Amino acid sequence: MSQHPAPWSKPPAPNSSPAPRPGEVRGAGGGAASSTMNGGRVPAPVPATGPSQVPPEQLRTLAYHRLGFADRNHEWWKPLVEGAILFFLFLVLSVLFAIPVILFMDNPMGLDNVATMDQLDPLIFFFLFGSVALLAPAAYLARKIMGPRPLGLLHSVTGRLRWKWMLQCGLAALAIFVVINGLSILFDLMTGGEALEFTLAPQWGWLLLMVILLVPIQCFAEELVFRGYLMQTVGRWLKHPAWAILLPVPLFVAGHLYDVWGQASIVVMAITMGVITWRTGGLEAAVALHVVNNCTVTLMAIVGLADLSDTSGGPIDVLFTLAVNGVFLLVVFRMARKTRIATSRTIILPPPPRLPALAQRPRTVSQVGSELAAFVVDPRTQNYLSLPEQYGPYTVRDGQGRPVGLLDVRKTSGPQSPNGQSGNGPWPNGPSQGGDPRDRQLAGAQPPNRGSHGGDSATNQDRTP
């Protein structure tokens, strides 16, 4: 007689895991979920509730320009009020900032013409760049007042400023500027251009200090407003990212007093920084490009290779800007794919409002022979609707979208019955023995069953369409 093999002699199943040791409990993944420590059992970790545990229909993925929808309390009109607050705060801060600076100037009347200013004068440099930097506190205060919240959504989809990512983008932009500027200077020398002559500005030490401390804040403030607030404001109303990228461009260009070729270069930079903000899900790459560009131009002016007061440009300048920004876009896109930088934010939608009790729901009853009754609900707002009496008939569908009949609410002529219906309505002889069907708890779209007394009695099944 053959014997069955012992349980321990059977080979393990393909998906089985080794038996737990004494004092150990294994979780669903096969790993140890708890252990014994100091004679007591440590409970298994409880999985956190996050987007992975939520049904997909309750999730919504938002790009950077659509982050206004991340705050369920944010309304469509709030960006307008936020902009008004930002503008007012900027004016107040500008006045408070200008008064003490002007008192130290030798010729404050010269401030009315930017083109004639000596921008290498440290005091004028501080006034021009510092006044633009005031956009940052104004933008933060306006966002703090009006939302959306958290405040960090102004920086990126992660709700914070990604310093490491911004540093990586800054190093990439610096390398691109050095290489392309070096090639440009080398080409100029090879084609018979004049040799470079370095001339330090009179107070270059103060200027260098402000390039390090003030210029990055000025660039960050501009990006906070033109790529942060404005892009998210447009994205609150228009879904496609092209609108959020292109519509702020004229305002950004208006703040730079250059000729046509200079303005064309600004347009290229504005579009590049808008695209890269949308594509990387934050302001960091745009801030890095802006800081490196402004610092490079200012340093070249300090050593006599550029003129900050020059507002003219040319086709070569536009081509140079296209080359720098195009290469930067390609490099940052590759870096974003390699580092898997977050480019969107997933939110959990609030649950839909609960429907009221069946007895409290308004119902619409047919006025003619179809004898249907339905609860009419708007699927988007979950609000009950009243069907106008001059239109119809309406096709009634159940919860699965299947048509079940026609609901005609148009009034008909004829003598009124005791229950208020016309004589040729569905109850020509008054209420049946089962009572007025309109007083029953009707749930949408079911033809009435014929009772044993020959009268009409409506169904009371709860099948809300």
Side-chain angles (χ1 to χ4, degrees):
M1 184 175 67
S2 62
Q3 295 180 349
H4 293 287
W8 53 83
S9 65
K10 296 181 181 180
N15 296 328
S16 64
S17 58
R21 296 187 298 271
E24 179 183 75
V25 178
R26 295 193 178 273
S34 63
S35 59
T36 302
M37 181 181 297
N38 298 330
R41 186 178 301 278
V42 178
V46 179
T49 302
S52 59
Q53 286 79 34
V54 179
E57 60 271 11
Q58 297 183 15
L59 300 177
R60 186 175 183 182
T61 301
L62 302 173
Y64 175 80
H65 68 292
R66 303 283 283 175
L67 287 180
F69 293 94
D71 186 354
R72 66 180 65 180
N73 298 320
H74 198 246
E75 303 292 342
W76 67 268
W77 51 268
K78 288 188 175 182
L80 297 175
V81 181
E82 180 185 358
I85 296 174
L86 192 158
F87 182 72
F88 173 76
L89 292 174
F90 177 66
L91 288 181
V92 173
L93 293 175
S94 299
V95 172
L96 297 177
F97 173 76
I99 291 176
V101 175
I102 292 176
L103 293 177
F104 284 95
M105 287 187 176
D106 297 331
N107 184 22
M109 300 303 296
L111 295 176
D112 59 348
N113 190 353
V114 179
T116 60
M117 291 182 185
D118 181 13
Q119 297 190 31
L120 290 181
D121 183 335
L123 194 57
I124 294 179
F125 188 95
F126 177 74
F127 175 76
L128 293 178
F129 283 80
S131 60
V132 177
L134 295 176
L135 287 170
Y140 279 130
L141 287 173
R143 178 58 63 94
K144 185 68 174 179
I145 294 172
M146 296 304 301
R149 293 177 175 83
L151 184 65
L153 293 180
L154 195 58
H155 298 149
S156 71
V157 295
T158 62
R160 59 182 176 83
L161 198 61
R162 298 170 292 189
W163 291 97
K164 182 180 178 180
W165 170 244
M166 185 164 59
L167 179 61
Q168 293 173 350
C169 294
L171 294 176
L174 181 60
I176 293 170
F177 268 82
V178 169
V179 171
I180 295 183
N181 273 289
L183 293 176
S184 175
I185 295 173
L186 181 63
F187 177 79
D188 187 54
L189 294 176
M190 293 177 61
T191 55
E194 297 180 359
L196 298 180
E197 295 182 2
F198 297 94
T199 304
L200 284 175
Q203 303 183 47
W204 63 270
W206 287 105
L207 292 173
L208 182 60
L209 182 63
M210 284 187 284
V211 167
I212 298 174
L213 299 179
L214 182 58
V215 173
I217 300 176
Q218 171 257 329
C219 298
F220 178 76
E222 289 190 24
E223 295 307 309
L224 207 62
V225 173
F226 292 100
R227 251 65 62 184
Y229 161 71
L230 286 179
M231 281 190 66
Q232 292 186 359
T233 295
V234 176
R236 188 62 176 79
W237 305 324
L238 301 174
K239 183 177 181 180
H240 200 281
W243 298 110
I245 294 170
L246 296 177
L247 289 182
V249 170
L251 294 176
F252 185 71
V253 172
H256 298 77
L257 304 178
Y258 299 128
D259 65 355
V260 175
W261 294 110
Q263 298 283 28
S265 298
I266 298 299
V267 168
V268 172
M269 283 198 63
I271 295 177
T272 300
M273 291 185 291
V275 170
I276 212 166
T277 297
W278 162 70
R279 180 62 181 82
T280 60
L283 298 175
E284 297 89 355
V287 171
L289 176 62
H290 202 158
V291 169
V292 172
N293 177 82
N294 285 18
C295 288
T296 301
V297 173
T298 307
L299 290 174
M300 292 177 66
I302 292 176
V303 297
L305 298 180
D307 184 4
L308 292 180
S309 301
D310 187 12
T311 59
S312 62
I316 300 300
D317 299 323
V318 179
L319 293 177
F320 177 82
T321 305
L322 282 171
V324 170
N325 287 265
V327 174
F328 184 72
L329 276 177
L330 295 177
V331 171
V332 170
F333 286 174
R334 182 176 180 84
M335 291 170 53
R337 288 193 298 268
K338 186 175 180 180
T339 59
R340 296 183 180 181
I341 196 75
T343 60
S344 60
R345 185 180 183 92
T346 301
I347 63 171
I348 301 176
L349 297 176
R354 297 188 62 181
L355 297 177
L358 187 62
Q360 300 174 358
R361 305 179 194 176
R363 58 183 177 272
T364 303
V365 182
S366 177
Q367 300 285 336
V368 294
S370 64
E371 302 178 0
L372 288 176
F375 299 106
V376 185
V377 180
D378 186 342
R380 296 172 302 174
T381 62
Q382 296 296 316
N383 294 328
Y384 286 93
L385 306 177
S386 298
L387 300 179
E389 299 176 351
Q390 64 269 31
Y391 301 113
Y394 300 92
T395 301
V396 180
R397 300 178 183 273
D398 61 9
Q400 285 73 38
R402 298 171 296 192
V404 295
L406 295 177
L407 179 63
D408 198 343
V409 296
R410 295 175 295 179
K411 289 187 177 180
T412 57
S413 59
Q416 296 292 323
S417 61
N419 63 351
Q421 298 293 327
S422 57
N424 55 355
W427 304 288
N429 299 321
S432 62
Q433 292 183 3
D436 191 338
R438 293 172 298 168
D439 295 334
R440 313 282 293 276
Q441 290 186 354
L442 305 180
Q446 182 85 6
N449 298 327
R450 295 292 178 179
S452 58
H453 298 283
D456 295 337
S457 61
T459 179
N460 59 357
Q461 299 179 2
D462 187 5
R463 294 175 55 192
T464 303

